[in-house]
Amino acid sequence: MFKLPKNKCIRKTILNVVSVYLTTTILLVLALSYMYLSNQEKHIISLQQEKVDIQSQQIINELELLDDNIVEEVAFYPRLNNIGSAIYDIDKNLIFSTFNEELSSINQKQFFKDNFIYYVYKVEPYYLGAAYLVIQKEKTYEFNNELTKIATIVISIILFLILTSFLLVKILIKPLSDNLNLLDKFIKDTTHELITPTSTILNNIEVLDLNKVDEKNLKKINRIKIGATTISNIHKDLSFLLLNNRQKSENKNLNISDILNQRVEYFKILANNRNIDFKVNIQDNIYTTIDSHRAERLFDNLISNAIKFSTKKGTIFIFLSTSSNHENIKFSIEDEGIGMKNSELDKIFTRYKKLNDNISGFGIGYDIINSIIKEYDIDIKITSSENTGTKVTLIW
Amino acid sequence: MVKLFSILLISVHLFANPYETNCMYCHKDKKELQLFMAQYTLKYSSEKKTKKALLRFLKNPTSNKSITTYGYIVKHGFKEKSKLNDKDLRDAIDSYYDKYNIKQFIK
C-alpha cells in the first residue's frame, strides 16, 4: 500500500500535484461520460421511437374500429402492455387517458417528464374525437443500464487514476525524497555525534579550578565555554526539531520562574561576551503545566535570538509575572537590536527562513517557538521596528 | 279548472328544455342521434367546434354543412331552417351534446 513520506514538504507537494492531476482528469472523464450518455440517450430514444410508432398505429387502428361501432353503449379504449396512452381533441382537451400524470402541454413531438418519455402523434380523421394520441413510455431500463455501466466505468477509471497518480508522483519525487532523507539522516548523525564532545568540554570547564588559571588563560577558557555553549544550544535545537514528532510531552506542574532564571544564567556568558546587559524582572514561584525540555527550548530560543539581534553594549529586558487575578502568565523579552520590517515579521515562523544573513544560525528558532506555543495554546505578540529593537510577549 | 290547467300547460312549456320540445319531436331514434354525434365528432373533434358546426347547420342547413350521407337526405328529405332563437338553439345543442357526446362512452 502507498505510504506518504514523513517529510511535510514532500507530502504537501505530493498532495498538491495529485489533487491538481486528479481534479483535471476526473473533470475530463466526467465531461466525456456526459457527452457519451447524451449521445446514447438520443440513440435509445430513436430505437424506442420505431417501436412506439408501431404501437401508436395499433392504437389508432383500434380507435378506428371503436369509432365504426360507436352505437354500442360502451367503447373500450385500447390498452397495450408497457406503455400508457391518452387521446386529446383538436383543442388539446383530454378525452381519455390510461395514465395518471397530467400533461400541461403536448406541443412538442417528443418530451420528457419525470421518469417518462412522451411521444405525440396526430390522428386524422378524428376517431372518437381524437386529434392527438400521446404515448407514455418509461425512460426504460436500457437507459438505466447504460447509466449503471457508465457509472461503473467512471468509478473504475477514477480509482485507477488515484492509484496511478500516487505511483507516478512517488516515482517522480523519489530522487528528491531520497536526498532529503539522506540530509535528515546526516543531520541526525551529526547531532548525535556532537553530544559527547560538547558535554565533555562543558563538564570539564565546570570542574576546572579557575583560581589556579592566570587571566590570559581564563579568557581563553571563557571563549572555549562560549563556543561549547553555542554548539550545545544548536545541538539541543536540532534534536528538538528532529525528535519533536516522536517525543511525547511529559507535562508537569513546574516552577517556570526557576527555569527562566537558570536559562538567563546559562546565557549570561554569551551576553557578557558581547557586553550585553540583562535587566531581569522575574516574579518568584510561578507555576504552570509544561514539559521541562520544551520550556527550556522556548526560553533558550527567545533569549538567544535577543542576544543575536542585539547591538553590542545593548540591554535585554526580561519580564515574567502573573496577571492580577493569577489567571494568566505574562512573559516578555525586549532587545535594543536591529529590529525587523513588518514584511519580515510575516515570515518569521517559516522554517529555515533567515531574516538576516549576517547573523549566524539555521533559521529554526522561531519554528521551534511556534510549535511549542501552539502545543500549549500560548498567545504570542511580536512588535519590532528597524534599528530600535524587538519585543516578544507570551501570554498563557 | 280549465284556467288552472291552462296555467300548468303554459308553465310546462315555459320551463321545458328546447331540445326535448323541439328536436325530439322528429328525432326519436336514439341510435340515429348517437350516430349523428359520432359523425360530428369524427369531423370536428372538440366540443367547441362540434357545437359551432351544429349551430351553423341548424340555422341554415345546406348539403355542404351536412354530415349525413346523400342517401339519408334522399330518404328523409332536407331539414328546414330552425325557427328557434339563438339562445334556445344553443341550449338545445348543449342538451344534445351532454346526452350523446362520445367521451362519456369511452371506458
Side-chain angles (χ1 to χ4, degrees), chain A residues 36-91:
Chain A
Y36 174 78
L37 269 181
S38 318
N39 206 29
Q40 278 304 95
E41 192 180 54
K42 279 179 196 160
H43 177 65
I44 289 167
I45 289 170
S46 73
L47 279 180
Q48 272 191 0
Q49 176 92 52
E50 287 170 23
K51 282 184 203 166
V52 174
D53 283 351
I54 296 165
Q55 287 169 318
S56 69
Q57 195 50 54
Q58 214 176 323
I59 293 173
I60 292 170
N61 291 344
E62 298 252 359
L63 290 178
E64 187 181 359
L65 273 175
L66 283 176
D67 200 89
D68 289 346
N69 302 304
I70 198 61
V71 280
E72 308 262 335
E73 280 299 310
V74 180
F76 288 105
Y77 184 86
R79 287 164 173 83
L80 295 185
N81 287 337
N82 304 326
I83 61 161
S85 68
I87 48 175
Y88 288 78
D89 66 24
I90 193 78
D91 293 329

Short mmCIF file of all heavy atoms in Angstrom, two decimals, chain A residues 36-91:
data_model
loop_
_atom_site.label_atom_id
_atom_site.label_comp_id
_atom_site.label_asym_id
_atom_site.label_seq_id
_atom_site.Cartn_x
_atom_site.Cartn_y
_atom_site.Cartn_z
N TYR A 36 -21.07 11.12 -23.88
CA TYR A 36 -21.42 9.76 -24.32
C TYR A 36 -22.86 9.43 -23.94
O TYR A 36 -23.63 8.90 -24.75
CB TYR A 36 -20.45 8.76 -23.69
CG TYR A 36 -20.80 7.31 -23.97
CD1 TYR A 36 -20.50 6.74 -25.20
CD2 TYR A 36 -21.44 6.53 -23.02
CE1 TYR A 36 -20.83 5.43 -25.47
CE2 TYR A 36 -21.78 5.22 -23.27
CZ TYR A 36 -21.47 4.67 -24.50
OH TYR A 36 -21.81 3.37 -24.77
N LEU A 37 -23.22 9.79 -22.70
CA LEU A 37 -24.58 9.49 -22.22
C LEU A 37 -25.65 10.24 -23.03
O LEU A 37 -26.68 9.67 -23.37
CB LEU A 37 -24.71 9.86 -20.75
CG LEU A 37 -24.40 8.75 -19.77
CD1 LEU A 37 -24.58 9.24 -18.35
CD2 LEU A 37 -25.29 7.53 -19.97
N SER A 38 -25.37 11.51 -23.32
CA SER A 38 -26.34 12.28 -24.12
C SER A 38 -26.53 11.64 -25.47
O SER A 38 -27.65 11.53 -25.99
CB SER A 38 -25.86 13.71 -24.34
OG SER A 38 -25.31 14.21 -23.21
N ASN A 39 -25.42 11.19 -26.04
CA ASN A 39 -25.46 10.53 -27.35
C ASN A 39 -26.26 9.23 -27.28
O ASN A 39 -27.11 8.95 -28.13
CB ASN A 39 -24.02 10.26 -27.79
CG ASN A 39 -23.92 10.21 -29.28
OD1 ASN A 39 -24.70 10.86 -29.96
ND2 ASN A 39 -23.00 9.42 -29.77
N GLN A 40 -25.98 8.46 -26.20
CA GLN A 40 -26.67 7.18 -26.02
C GLN A 40 -28.18 7.41 -25.80
O GLN A 40 -29.00 6.65 -26.28
CB GLN A 40 -26.10 6.43 -24.82
CG GLN A 40 -24.84 5.67 -25.10
CD GLN A 40 -25.00 4.67 -26.23
OE1 GLN A 40 -24.70 4.97 -27.38
NE2 GLN A 40 -25.53 3.50 -25.93
N GLU A 41 -28.48 8.48 -25.09
CA GLU A 41 -29.88 8.79 -24.81
C GLU A 41 -30.63 9.03 -26.12
O GLU A 41 -31.71 8.49 -26.34
CB GLU A 41 -29.95 10.04 -23.93
CG GLU A 41 -31.32 10.29 -23.35
CD GLU A 41 -31.35 11.52 -22.47
OE1 GLU A 41 -30.95 12.60 -22.95
OE2 GLU A 41 -31.77 11.40 -21.33
N LYS A 42 -29.99 9.80 -27.01
CA LYS A 42 -30.61 10.06 -28.31
C LYS A 42 -30.79 8.76 -29.08
O LYS A 42 -31.83 8.53 -29.71
CB LYS A 42 -29.73 11.03 -29.12
CG LYS A 42 -29.92 12.47 -28.73
CD LYS A 42 -29.02 13.36 -29.54
CE LYS A 42 -28.92 14.73 -28.88
NZ LYS A 42 -27.76 15.47 -29.31
N HIS A 43 -29.77 7.91 -29.02
CA HIS A 43 -29.80 6.64 -29.75
C HIS A 43 -30.94 5.76 -29.22
O HIS A 43 -31.71 5.19 -30.00
CB HIS A 43 -28.45 5.96 -29.59
CG HIS A 43 -28.37 4.61 -30.23
ND1 HIS A 43 -28.46 4.45 -31.60
CD2 HIS A 43 -28.24 3.37 -29.70
CE1 HIS A 43 -28.37 3.16 -31.88
NE2 HIS A 43 -28.24 2.48 -30.75
N ILE A 44 -31.05 5.69 -27.87
CA ILE A 44 -32.09 4.85 -27.26
C ILE A 44 -33.48 5.39 -27.61
O ILE A 44 -34.38 4.63 -27.95
CB ILE A 44 -31.88 4.78 -25.72
CG1 ILE A 44 -30.65 3.93 -25.42
CG2 ILE A 44 -33.10 4.18 -25.02
CD1 ILE A 44 -30.16 4.03 -24.00
N ILE A 45 -33.60 6.71 -27.59
CA ILE A 45 -34.90 7.31 -27.92
C ILE A 45 -35.28 6.99 -29.36
O ILE A 45 -36.42 6.63 -29.66
CB ILE A 45 -34.87 8.84 -27.67
CG1 ILE A 45 -34.84 9.09 -26.17
CG2 ILE A 45 -36.07 9.53 -28.30
CD1 ILE A 45 -34.57 10.51 -25.78
N SER A 46 -34.31 7.07 -30.27
CA SER A 46 -34.64 6.79 -31.67
C SER A 46 -35.01 5.31 -31.86
O SER A 46 -35.88 4.99 -32.67
CB SER A 46 -33.50 7.21 -32.60
OG SER A 46 -32.44 6.31 -32.47
N LEU A 47 -34.33 4.43 -31.09
CA LEU A 47 -34.67 3.00 -31.17
C LEU A 47 -36.09 2.77 -30.64
O LEU A 47 -36.89 2.03 -31.23
CB LEU A 47 -33.70 2.17 -30.33
CG LEU A 47 -32.36 1.82 -30.97
CD1 LEU A 47 -31.53 1.00 -29.99
CD2 LEU A 47 -32.56 1.02 -32.26
N GLN A 48 -36.40 3.45 -29.55
CA GLN A 48 -37.73 3.33 -28.95
C GLN A 48 -38.79 3.88 -29.88
O GLN A 48 -39.88 3.35 -30.00
CB GLN A 48 -37.77 4.12 -27.65
CG GLN A 48 -37.32 3.32 -26.47
CD GLN A 48 -37.63 4.06 -25.18
OE1 GLN A 48 -38.18 5.14 -25.19
NE2 GLN A 48 -37.27 3.43 -24.09
N GLN A 49 -38.42 4.97 -30.55
CA GLN A 49 -39.37 5.65 -31.44
C GLN A 49 -39.94 4.66 -32.46
O GLN A 49 -41.14 4.66 -32.72
CB GLN A 49 -38.64 6.80 -32.15
CG GLN A 49 -39.46 7.53 -33.19
CD GLN A 49 -40.17 8.73 -32.58
OE1 GLN A 49 -39.54 9.55 -31.94
NE2 GLN A 49 -41.47 8.82 -32.80
N GLU A 50 -39.06 3.80 -32.99
CA GLU A 50 -39.52 2.83 -34.01
C GLU A 50 -40.59 1.92 -33.42
O GLU A 50 -41.63 1.67 -34.04
CB GLU A 50 -38.33 2.00 -34.49
CG GLU A 50 -37.40 2.79 -35.38
CD GLU A 50 -36.10 2.06 -35.67
OE1 GLU A 50 -36.08 0.82 -35.58
OE2 GLU A 50 -35.11 2.74 -35.97
N LYS A 51 -40.34 1.44 -32.18
CA LYS A 51 -41.31 0.55 -31.53
C LYS A 51 -42.61 1.30 -31.26
O LYS A 51 -43.71 0.80 -31.49
CB LYS A 51 -40.75 0.04 -30.19
CG LYS A 51 -39.74 -1.06 -30.30
CD LYS A 51 -39.37 -1.51 -28.88
CE LYS A 51 -38.01 -2.17 -28.89
NZ LYS A 51 -37.47 -2.32 -27.55
N VAL A 52 -42.44 2.54 -30.73
CA VAL A 52 -43.61 3.33 -30.36
C VAL A 52 -44.45 3.68 -31.59
O VAL A 52 -45.68 3.70 -31.52
CB VAL A 52 -43.18 4.59 -29.56
CG1 VAL A 52 -44.36 5.50 -29.28
CG2 VAL A 52 -42.54 4.19 -28.25
N ASP A 53 -43.79 3.92 -32.73
CA ASP A 53 -44.51 4.21 -33.98
C ASP A 53 -45.49 3.08 -34.30
O ASP A 53 -46.65 3.31 -34.64
CB ASP A 53 -43.53 4.37 -35.15
CG ASP A 53 -42.82 5.72 -35.11
OD1 ASP A 53 -43.24 6.57 -34.30
OD2 ASP A 53 -41.86 5.90 -35.88
N ILE A 54 -44.99 1.85 -34.16
CA ILE A 54 -45.83 0.67 -34.47
C ILE A 54 -46.99 0.59 -33.47
O ILE A 54 -48.14 0.39 -33.86
CB ILE A 54 -44.96 -0.61 -34.42
CG1 ILE A 54 -43.90 -0.56 -35.52
CG2 ILE A 54 -45.82 -1.87 -34.56
CD1 ILE A 54 -42.78 -1.56 -35.37
N GLN A 55 -46.66 0.79 -32.17
CA GLN A 55 -47.70 0.69 -31.14
C GLN A 55 -48.77 1.78 -31.32
O GLN A 55 -49.96 1.52 -31.14
CB GLN A 55 -47.07 0.80 -29.75
CG GLN A 55 -46.31 -0.47 -29.38
CD GLN A 55 -45.45 -0.28 -28.15
OE1 GLN A 55 -44.79 0.74 -27.99
NE2 GLN A 55 -45.43 -1.28 -27.29
N SER A 56 -48.33 2.98 -31.71
CA SER A 56 -49.30 4.07 -31.89
C SER A 56 -50.25 3.75 -33.05
O SER A 56 -51.46 4.00 -32.97
CB SER A 56 -48.58 5.39 -32.12
OG SER A 56 -47.96 5.37 -33.38
N GLN A 57 -49.69 3.19 -34.11
CA GLN A 57 -50.53 2.83 -35.26
C GLN A 57 -51.56 1.78 -34.86
O GLN A 57 -52.72 1.82 -35.28
CB GLN A 57 -49.64 2.33 -36.41
CG GLN A 57 -50.33 2.28 -37.77
CD GLN A 57 -51.04 3.60 -38.12
OE1 GLN A 57 -50.44 4.67 -38.10
NE2 GLN A 57 -52.35 3.54 -38.40
N GLN A 58 -51.12 0.87 -34.01
CA GLN A 58 -52.01 -0.19 -33.49
C GLN A 58 -53.19 0.45 -32.74
O GLN A 58 -54.34 0.07 -32.94
CB GLN A 58 -51.20 -1.06 -32.53
CG GLN A 58 -51.57 -2.51 -32.54
CD GLN A 58 -50.62 -3.27 -31.61
OE1 GLN A 58 -49.43 -2.97 -31.56
NE2 GLN A 58 -51.14 -4.26 -30.91
N ILE A 59 -52.88 1.43 -31.89
CA ILE A 59 -53.94 2.11 -31.12
C ILE A 59 -54.88 2.87 -32.05
O ILE A 59 -56.11 2.80 -31.90
CB ILE A 59 -53.32 3.06 -30.06
CG1 ILE A 59 -52.58 2.23 -29.00
CG2 ILE A 59 -54.39 3.91 -29.39
CD1 ILE A 59 -51.79 3.05 -28.00
N ILE A 60 -54.30 3.55 -33.05
CA ILE A 60 -55.14 4.32 -33.98
C ILE A 60 -56.09 3.37 -34.74
O ILE A 60 -57.28 3.68 -34.91
CB ILE A 60 -54.27 5.15 -34.96
CG1 ILE A 60 -53.55 6.26 -34.16
CG2 ILE A 60 -55.11 5.76 -36.08
CD1 ILE A 60 -52.47 7.00 -34.92
N ASN A 61 -55.58 2.20 -35.13
CA ASN A 61 -56.43 1.21 -35.82
C ASN A 61 -57.59 0.78 -34.91
O ASN A 61 -58.73 0.66 -35.36
CB ASN A 61 -55.62 -0.02 -36.22
CG ASN A 61 -54.64 0.31 -37.32
OD1 ASN A 61 -54.75 1.35 -37.99
ND2 ASN A 61 -53.64 -0.55 -37.51
N GLU A 62 -57.27 0.56 -33.64
CA GLU A 62 -58.31 0.14 -32.69
C GLU A 62 -59.33 1.26 -32.49
O GLU A 62 -60.53 1.01 -32.36
CB GLU A 62 -57.66 -0.18 -31.34
CG GLU A 62 -56.68 -1.34 -31.41
CD GLU A 62 -57.20 -2.60 -30.75
OE1 GLU A 62 -58.32 -2.57 -30.22
OE2 GLU A 62 -56.47 -3.61 -30.80
N LEU A 63 -58.84 2.52 -32.46
CA LEU A 63 -59.74 3.67 -32.30
C LEU A 63 -60.70 3.74 -33.50
O LEU A 63 -61.89 4.02 -33.35
CB LEU A 63 -58.95 4.98 -32.21
CG LEU A 63 -58.13 5.22 -30.93
CD1 LEU A 63 -57.37 6.53 -31.02
CD2 LEU A 63 -59.04 5.24 -29.70
N GLU A 64 -60.16 3.43 -34.69
CA GLU A 64 -60.98 3.45 -35.90
C GLU A 64 -62.11 2.42 -35.79
O GLU A 64 -63.27 2.70 -36.09
CB GLU A 64 -60.11 3.16 -37.12
CG GLU A 64 -60.86 3.33 -38.43
CD GLU A 64 -60.00 3.00 -39.65
OE1 GLU A 64 -58.80 2.67 -39.47
OE2 GLU A 64 -60.55 3.06 -40.77
N LEU A 65 -61.73 1.23 -35.30
CA LEU A 65 -62.73 0.15 -35.12
C LEU A 65 -63.82 0.57 -34.14
O LEU A 65 -65.01 0.36 -34.37
CB LEU A 65 -62.04 -1.11 -34.60
CG LEU A 65 -61.46 -2.05 -35.65
CD1 LEU A 65 -60.71 -3.18 -34.96
CD2 LEU A 65 -62.58 -2.60 -36.54
N LEU A 66 -63.37 1.19 -33.01
CA LEU A 66 -64.33 1.65 -31.99
C LEU A 66 -65.27 2.70 -32.57
O LEU A 66 -66.46 2.70 -32.30
CB LEU A 66 -63.58 2.25 -30.80
CG LEU A 66 -62.93 1.29 -29.83
CD1 LEU A 66 -62.15 2.07 -28.78
CD2 LEU A 66 -64.00 0.44 -29.13
N ASP A 67 -64.67 3.58 -33.36
CA ASP A 67 -65.47 4.66 -33.93
C ASP A 67 -66.54 4.10 -34.89
O ASP A 67 -67.67 4.60 -34.94
CB ASP A 67 -64.55 5.63 -34.68
CG ASP A 67 -65.20 6.97 -34.88
OD1 ASP A 67 -65.04 7.82 -33.98
OD2 ASP A 67 -65.90 7.17 -35.90
N ASP A 68 -66.19 3.05 -35.62
CA ASP A 68 -67.14 2.42 -36.55
C ASP A 68 -68.31 1.80 -35.79
O ASP A 68 -69.43 1.71 -36.30
CB ASP A 68 -66.44 1.35 -37.39
CG ASP A 68 -65.50 1.97 -38.40
OD1 ASP A 68 -65.61 3.20 -38.62
OD2 ASP A 68 -64.63 1.26 -38.93
N ASN A 69 -68.06 1.31 -34.57
CA ASN A 69 -69.11 0.64 -33.79
C ASN A 69 -69.57 1.47 -32.60
O ASN A 69 -69.88 0.96 -31.54
CB ASN A 69 -68.57 -0.71 -33.27
CG ASN A 69 -68.12 -1.60 -34.40
OD1 ASN A 69 -68.90 -1.89 -35.31
ND2 ASN A 69 -66.86 -2.00 -34.37
N ILE A 70 -69.60 2.77 -32.78
CA ILE A 70 -69.88 3.66 -31.66
C ILE A 70 -71.30 3.54 -31.12
O ILE A 70 -71.60 3.96 -30.01
CB ILE A 70 -69.53 5.13 -32.05
CG1 ILE A 70 -69.38 6.00 -30.79
CG2 ILE A 70 -70.54 5.71 -33.00
CD1 ILE A 70 -68.29 5.56 -29.88
N VAL A 71 -72.20 2.94 -31.92
CA VAL A 71 -73.59 2.81 -31.44
C VAL A 71 -73.71 1.89 -30.24
O VAL A 71 -74.73 1.86 -29.56
CB VAL A 71 -74.54 2.36 -32.58
CG1 VAL A 71 -74.92 3.53 -33.47
CG2 VAL A 71 -73.94 1.23 -33.36
N GLU A 72 -72.62 1.16 -29.98
CA GLU A 72 -72.62 0.31 -28.78
C GLU A 72 -72.68 1.23 -27.56
O GLU A 72 -72.25 2.39 -27.63
CB GLU A 72 -71.33 -0.50 -28.72
CG GLU A 72 -71.01 -1.28 -29.97
CD GLU A 72 -71.42 -2.73 -29.89
OE1 GLU A 72 -71.49 -3.23 -28.76
OE2 GLU A 72 -71.67 -3.33 -30.95
N GLU A 73 -73.10 0.76 -26.44
CA GLU A 73 -73.23 1.61 -25.25
C GLU A 73 -71.87 2.04 -24.69
O GLU A 73 -71.69 3.16 -24.27
CB GLU A 73 -74.02 0.86 -24.15
CG GLU A 73 -75.52 0.88 -24.34
CD GLU A 73 -76.11 2.29 -24.32
OE1 GLU A 73 -75.81 3.04 -23.37
OE2 GLU A 73 -76.88 2.63 -25.24
N VAL A 74 -70.91 1.10 -24.70
CA VAL A 74 -69.59 1.40 -24.14
C VAL A 74 -68.51 1.15 -25.19
O VAL A 74 -68.56 0.15 -25.89
CB VAL A 74 -69.31 0.52 -22.90
CG1 VAL A 74 -67.93 0.83 -22.32
CG2 VAL A 74 -70.38 0.72 -21.85
N ALA A 75 -67.53 2.09 -25.26
CA ALA A 75 -66.39 1.88 -26.17
C ALA A 75 -65.17 1.61 -25.30
O ALA A 75 -64.74 2.49 -24.55
CB ALA A 75 -66.20 3.12 -27.02
N PHE A 76 -64.61 0.41 -25.37
CA PHE A 76 -63.45 0.06 -24.53
C PHE A 76 -62.17 0.53 -25.20
O PHE A 76 -61.81 0.05 -26.27
CB PHE A 76 -63.42 -1.45 -24.25
CG PHE A 76 -64.49 -1.87 -23.29
CD1 PHE A 76 -65.63 -2.54 -23.75
CD2 PHE A 76 -64.38 -1.57 -21.93
CE1 PHE A 76 -66.62 -2.91 -22.86
CE2 PHE A 76 -65.38 -1.95 -21.05
CZ PHE A 76 -66.51 -2.61 -21.52
N TYR A 77 -61.53 1.46 -24.53
CA TYR A 77 -60.30 2.09 -25.06
C TYR A 77 -59.19 1.04 -25.14
O TYR A 77 -58.99 0.26 -24.21
CB TYR A 77 -59.90 3.25 -24.15
CG TYR A 77 -58.71 4.02 -24.64
CD1 TYR A 77 -58.85 5.05 -25.56
CD2 TYR A 77 -57.43 3.69 -24.21
CE1 TYR A 77 -57.75 5.75 -26.03
CE2 TYR A 77 -56.32 4.38 -24.67
CZ TYR A 77 -56.49 5.41 -25.59
OH TYR A 77 -55.39 6.10 -26.05
N PRO A 78 -58.43 1.01 -26.25
CA PRO A 78 -57.35 0.01 -26.38
C PRO A 78 -56.21 0.24 -25.40
O PRO A 78 -55.74 1.37 -25.25
CB PRO A 78 -56.87 0.18 -27.82
CG PRO A 78 -57.27 1.56 -28.19
CD PRO A 78 -58.53 1.86 -27.45
N ARG A 79 -55.78 -0.82 -24.74
CA ARG A 79 -54.67 -0.72 -23.76
C ARG A 79 -53.56 -1.68 -24.18
O ARG A 79 -53.82 -2.86 -24.41
CB ARG A 79 -55.16 -1.08 -22.36
CG ARG A 79 -56.04 0.01 -21.75
CD ARG A 79 -56.83 -0.50 -20.57
NE ARG A 79 -57.55 0.55 -19.87
CZ ARG A 79 -58.72 1.03 -20.22
NH1 ARG A 79 -59.36 0.53 -21.31
NH2 ARG A 79 -59.30 1.99 -19.56
N LEU A 80 -52.33 -1.17 -24.26
CA LEU A 80 -51.20 -2.02 -24.64
C LEU A 80 -50.26 -2.18 -23.44
O LEU A 80 -50.17 -1.29 -22.58
CB LEU A 80 -50.42 -1.41 -25.80
CG LEU A 80 -51.15 -1.27 -27.14
CD1 LEU A 80 -50.18 -0.76 -28.20
CD2 LEU A 80 -51.73 -2.61 -27.60
N ASN A 81 -49.56 -3.32 -23.41
CA ASN A 81 -48.62 -3.57 -22.30
C ASN A 81 -47.43 -2.61 -22.39
O ASN A 81 -47.01 -2.22 -23.47
CB ASN A 81 -48.09 -5.01 -22.38
CG ASN A 81 -49.16 -5.99 -21.97
OD1 ASN A 81 -50.10 -5.64 -21.26
ND2 ASN A 81 -49.03 -7.21 -22.45
N ASN A 82 -46.88 -2.28 -21.25
CA ASN A 82 -45.64 -1.47 -21.11
C ASN A 82 -45.75 -0.01 -21.54
O ASN A 82 -44.78 0.74 -21.41
CB ASN A 82 -44.46 -2.09 -21.89
CG ASN A 82 -44.20 -3.50 -21.46
OD1 ASN A 82 -44.38 -3.84 -20.29
ND2 ASN A 82 -43.81 -4.34 -22.41
N ILE A 83 -46.89 0.39 -22.09
CA ILE A 83 -46.99 1.81 -22.43
C ILE A 83 -48.33 2.36 -21.93
O ILE A 83 -49.30 1.61 -21.78
CB ILE A 83 -46.87 2.08 -23.95
CG1 ILE A 83 -47.99 1.36 -24.73
CG2 ILE A 83 -45.50 1.75 -24.50
CD1 ILE A 83 -48.20 1.95 -26.11
N GLY A 84 -48.36 3.67 -21.70
CA GLY A 84 -49.62 4.34 -21.39
C GLY A 84 -49.98 5.17 -22.60
O GLY A 84 -49.12 5.49 -23.43
N SER A 85 -51.25 5.51 -22.75
CA SER A 85 -51.62 6.36 -23.88
C SER A 85 -52.79 7.26 -23.50
O SER A 85 -53.53 6.97 -22.55
CB SER A 85 -51.95 5.52 -25.10
OG SER A 85 -53.14 4.81 -24.89
N ALA A 86 -52.92 8.35 -24.24
CA ALA A 86 -54.02 9.28 -23.99
C ALA A 86 -54.42 9.91 -25.32
O ALA A 86 -53.60 10.02 -26.23
CB ALA A 86 -53.57 10.36 -23.03
N ILE A 87 -55.73 10.27 -25.42
CA ILE A 87 -56.15 10.97 -26.63
C ILE A 87 -56.67 12.36 -26.28
O ILE A 87 -57.29 12.55 -25.22
CB ILE A 87 -57.21 10.16 -27.44
CG1 ILE A 87 -58.33 9.64 -26.53
CG2 ILE A 87 -56.57 9.04 -28.23
CD1 ILE A 87 -59.47 8.94 -27.27
N TYR A 88 -56.37 13.31 -27.13
CA TYR A 88 -56.75 14.71 -26.93
C TYR A 88 -57.52 15.18 -28.16
O TYR A 88 -57.23 14.73 -29.28
CB TYR A 88 -55.51 15.59 -26.76
CG TYR A 88 -54.82 15.39 -25.44
CD1 TYR A 88 -53.98 14.28 -25.22
CD2 TYR A 88 -54.97 16.29 -24.39
CE1 TYR A 88 -53.35 14.10 -24.00
CE2 TYR A 88 -54.33 16.11 -23.18
CZ TYR A 88 -53.53 15.01 -22.99
OH TYR A 88 -52.90 14.83 -21.78
N ASP A 89 -58.49 16.10 -27.95
CA ASP A 89 -59.23 16.62 -29.12
C ASP A 89 -58.42 17.72 -29.82
O ASP A 89 -57.31 18.03 -29.38
CB ASP A 89 -60.64 17.08 -28.71
CG ASP A 89 -60.63 18.29 -27.79
OD1 ASP A 89 -59.64 19.04 -27.82
OD2 ASP A 89 -61.62 18.48 -27.05
N ILE A 90 -59.01 18.31 -30.86
CA ILE A 90 -58.26 19.28 -31.67
C ILE A 90 -57.89 20.53 -30.86
O ILE A 90 -56.89 21.19 -31.14
CB ILE A 90 -59.10 19.66 -32.93
CG1 ILE A 90 -58.25 20.43 -33.96
CG2 ILE A 90 -60.35 20.46 -32.58
CD1 ILE A 90 -57.36 19.54 -34.77
N ASP A 91 -58.68 20.82 -29.80
CA ASP A 91 -58.35 21.97 -28.93
C ASP A 91 -57.44 21.55 -27.77
O ASP A 91 -57.28 22.30 -26.79
CB ASP A 91 -59.65 22.58 -28.37
CG ASP A 91 -60.47 23.23 -29.47
OD1 ASP A 91 -59.87 23.72 -30.45
OD2 ASP A 91 -61.71 23.22 -29.39
#
